[in-house]
Amino acid sequence: MTDISNPIQFWLNRALQGHAGRADETLLTYLRHSGRVGTKEGCASGDCGACTVLVQTNDGGAYKPMNACILPVQQLHGQAVITVEGLPTNDELHPAQTALITTHGAQCGFCTPGFVMALAGWMDEQAVSAGSDRGGQPKLDSEQAEITRLKASREAISGNLCRCTGYRPILQAAKHLASNPPAALSETHQRLDRARFDSEPDHSAPYNAGFRAPHSLDDLKVLLRQQPSAKLIAGGTDLMLEVTQKQVRFDQLISLARVPALQRLEIRDDRAIIGSAVTYQDLQAATPLRWPALHHFLSRLGSPQIRNRGTIGGNLGTASPIGDLLPILLAMDATIVMSHFEAADRNVPIAAFLQGYRKTQLQPGNFIKEVQVTGLQDFLRYYKISKRQEDDIAAVSVAVRLKLDAERITLARIALGGVAEQALRLPMLEQALQGQVITETLMTALHQQALAQLDPISDVRASRGYRREMAANLLVRALKEALGLPMPQIYGLDDA
């Protein structure tokens, strides 16, 4: 159903666009139907990066790379978008385009627009953040800064696949860009100015169908009271796969992305409060000093394009057995604050919130308001094993939290993902560690008990035996790291 009563406006390649369409229409569909075919469809699931575009969501903020294939165009009201057609200015190519040409990185060319946009977005973010508050992080010398930029430039294209498997020239292009001053898109593209938009879509009429984007909790509850079964969307990185992969149609979508109360993010001392609509990228940016284990882990969650969209509430609400954050939140004894349009908020322990394969306590009319976590100053280790370093689903993930009195364990939390129909805690192993001094004998016993108690699944990602061994080995590794023992660096664990 087309929601023609609520047309949206957004900037596209420096031109103001008006559009009315289906609630679940993707930006990729809109672009290609309007003749802007430089943005390619590869996987239609946010995995290959061929459809990467740049989106500026906040006034004065950087343009961020996102997957157009799973981005509802209706969510772009009041925002600015750049596609590969709009990247050059006055027939002058962007440095990212020039670098790919110089290093012969285009090859067949199908994936090239996505690589260009990912690199251009990274450069814009570097330019916007230059000279800004680094959150107390130490200032790097020139050599360290260049190494950091090189690593970041490689990470910037970690969500882009090259079907020709010719990554060397593409990496050379990234290296070239990392060694030069970043190019700000503000020099060639307007920064977002919402004052220039005519008006907000009219949401005063009763909500029957279409796309709605409430700006407050009260407005959200009004919409849910009218249509409690309407689908909620924040980043849409999982929900929109129903549209692109299974051809499901959503005539009713309520966006959570503009509700300030759901954007709350507080990290103080030993405690964190994370709104359900906080993106992985914003969470990663807030945690390098106060929650370094999570900061390190988040570079393994999806790609930059996904992290710029995906949210903690979506990860929880989906309740996938391989949801990357679920073992971590289980180990942290997280509390889920659930809201309803006609009831008081409820605080639910995450172990009770998760009820089975993609099943939670959420019912029609419910939504996740925030997640509350304590224990940030405990010993924390989060591990993920996957076939690819970047942008891949976990074969097994392990989260370990220990409270230590010298070398004695006073509290233990162990959680696993990817081994059963839902992420789970291992209370028997936790109890076995309670009050114990960490020794080689304890490590051997833990390994044996883990092998005896674990009964993982076998599937295309890993066999039952592999998952058992890896989980048991990672638990021992956590104990060794708790003792401060030197550990061999393992690609995928320490090099994220």
Side-chain angles (χ1 to χ4, degrees):
M1 181 177 295
T2 299
D3 187 20
I4 58 175
S5 63
N6 285 302
I8 63 166
Q9 289 184 315
F10 64 100
W11 289 103
L12 176 59
N13 298 335
R14 299 184 289 275
L16 190 61
Q17 306 290 312
H19 180 63
R22 289 184 53 91
D24 57 7
E25 180 184 3
T26 68
L27 175 59
L28 179 62
T29 298
Y30 170 82
L31 291 174
R32 296 190 65 81
H33 285 180
S34 64
R36 299 170 178 89
V37 295
T39 306
K40 307 300 184 184
E41 178 176 339
C43 64
S45 59
D47 287 331
C48 74
C51 68
T52 300
V53 297
L54 301 182
V55 181
Q56 188 186 28
T57 58
N58 300 311
D59 293 5
Y63 281 92
K64 296 182 178 181
M66 298 182 185
N67 298 116
C69 68
I70 52 174
L71 196 167
V73 68
Q74 298 283 349
Q75 267 190 325
L76 293 172
H77 177 76
Q79 300 181 7
V81 179
I82 301 174
T83 69
V84 70
E85 293 94 343
L87 196 58
T89 304
N90 298 325
D91 295 327
E92 182 177 346
L93 295 178
H94 185 275
Q97 294 172 305
T98 302
L100 264 292
I101 293 172
T102 301
T103 61
H104 305 285
Q107 300 167 100
C108 84
F110 189 86
C111 68
T112 304
F115 277 102
V116 165
M117 300 309 288
L119 287 169
W122 169 74
M123 296 180 74
D124 190 52
E125 186 174 4
Q126 295 294 303
V128 171
S129 62
S132 63
D133 180 18
R134 293 174 56 83
Q137 298 183 63
K139 186 175 178 59
L140 303 177
D141 61 36
S142 58
E143 183 178 356
Q144 290 174 321
E146 184 169 347
I147 292 173
T148 299
R149 287 198 303 271
L150 177 58
K151 182 177 179 180
S153 69
R154 293 170 65 98
E155 185 176 337
I157 55 176
S158 61
N160 296 73
L161 297 180
C162 171
R163 304 298 183 183
C164 300
T165 69
Y167 289 101
R168 183 184 58 79
I170 299 172
L171 291 172
Q172 284 181 329
K175 182 177 180 180
H176 170 76
L177 294 171
S179 63
N180 288 278
L185 289 168
S186 59
E187 298 172 0
T188 54
H189 293 69
Q190 78 285 339
R191 288 290 158 188
L192 189 60
D193 180 5
R194 289 204 174 95
R196 298 180 65 183
F197 290 90
D198 293 344
S199 63
E200 288 293 322
D202 179 15
H203 293 317
S204 60
Y207 179 50
N208 297 312
F211 189 95
R212 291 292 177 89
H215 286 68
S216 70
L217 279 180
D218 288 342
D219 290 344
L220 171 59
K221 291 179 180 181
V222 168
L223 292 172
L224 286 174
R225 184 175 290 109
Q226 295 174 0
Q227 292 293 341
S229 62
K231 283 291 185 180
L232 303 179
I233 183 170
T237 56
D238 190 86
L239 179 66
M240 291 302 290
L241 299 184
E242 297 288 306
V243 176
T244 62
Q245 303 297 302
K246 299 180 181 179
Q247 288 71 56
V248 174
R249 287 290 174 257
F250 296 122
D251 290 330
Q252 301 169 333
L253 281 178
I254 301 176
S255 173
L256 307 179
R258 299 195 178 191
V259 180
L262 305 185
Q263 302 283 352
R264 183 182 181 187
L265 179 55
E266 298 180 9
I267 304 178
R268 298 178 181 173
D269 300 323
D270 203 40
R271 185 168 184 258
I273 300 175
I274 310 166
S276 63
V278 171
T279 66
Y280 306 137
Q281 180 58 43
D282 286 343
L283 185 57
Q284 186 179 28
T287 52
L289 298 179
R290 297 187 180 98
W291 198 350
L294 180 64
H295 174 81
H296 179 82
F297 181 87
L298 285 172
S299 65
R300 299 287 312 283
L301 195 161
S303 63
Q305 291 93 323
I306 293 296
R307 292 195 293 273
N308 284 329
R309 294 279 303 165
T311 64
I312 188 171
N315 212 247
L316 277 166
T318 300
S320 168
I322 44 80
D324 283 319
L325 293 182
L326 302 191
I328 293 173
L329 295 176
L330 280 165
M332 302 302 291
D333 291 318
T335 296
I336 314 303
V337 181
M338 287 173 45
S339 293
H340 191 273
F341 64 82
E342 61 181 8
D345 291 350
R346 292 174 51 212
N347 292 353
V348 182
I350 185 173
F353 177 81
L354 301 174
Q355 297 190 325
Y357 177 74
R358 292 185 176 268
K359 184 179 180 182
T360 71
Q361 283 199 22
L362 291 172
Q363 298 295 324
N366 277 132
F367 61 93
I368 301 171
K369 181 179 179 182
E370 63 189 28
V371 179
Q372 300 175 354
V373 170
T374 58
L376 305 189
Q377 296 180 4
D378 296 339
F379 174 83
L380 307 172
R381 287 296 182 272
Y382 309 140
Y383 306 117
K384 175 179 176 178
I385 301 297
S386 56
K387 291 184 177 180
R388 296 198 312 262
Q389 161 74 358
E390 292 94 1
D391 197 14
D392 201 7
I393 292 172
V396 59
S397 54
V398 176
V400 177
R401 173 184 164 212
L402 303 174
K403 286 186 181 293
L404 299 171
D405 181 4
E407 296 176 1
R408 186 178 300 276
I409 301 171
T410 61
L411 179 142
R413 293 289 184 268
I414 300 171
L416 272 65
V419 298
E421 67 173 9
Q422 70 178 79
L424 48 82
R425 285 252 311 271
L426 301 178
M428 293 180 66
L429 290 184
E430 294 171 354
Q431 188 61 36
L433 293 177
Q434 193 83 19
Q436 299 295 315
V437 174
I438 303 177
T439 63
E440 287 288 345
T441 300
L442 179 66
M443 295 178 197
T444 300
L446 176 66
H447 190 272
Q448 293 173 346
Q449 291 175 44
L451 291 177
Q453 292 182 27
L454 290 176
D455 187 22
I457 60 173
S458 288
D459 60 19
V460 295
R461 297 188 187 96
S463 67
R464 173 179 179 273
Y466 178 82
R467 284 188 164 104
R468 288 175 70 240
E469 285 289 347
M470 290 307 302
N473 290 346
L474 290 173
L475 292 177
V476 172
R477 180 184 176 93
L479 293 188
K480 290 183 176 180
E481 291 191 49
L483 283 181
L485 298 177
M487 298 298 299
Q489 191 174 53
I490 300 177
Y491 183 72
L493 292 181
D494 312 287
D495 219 17

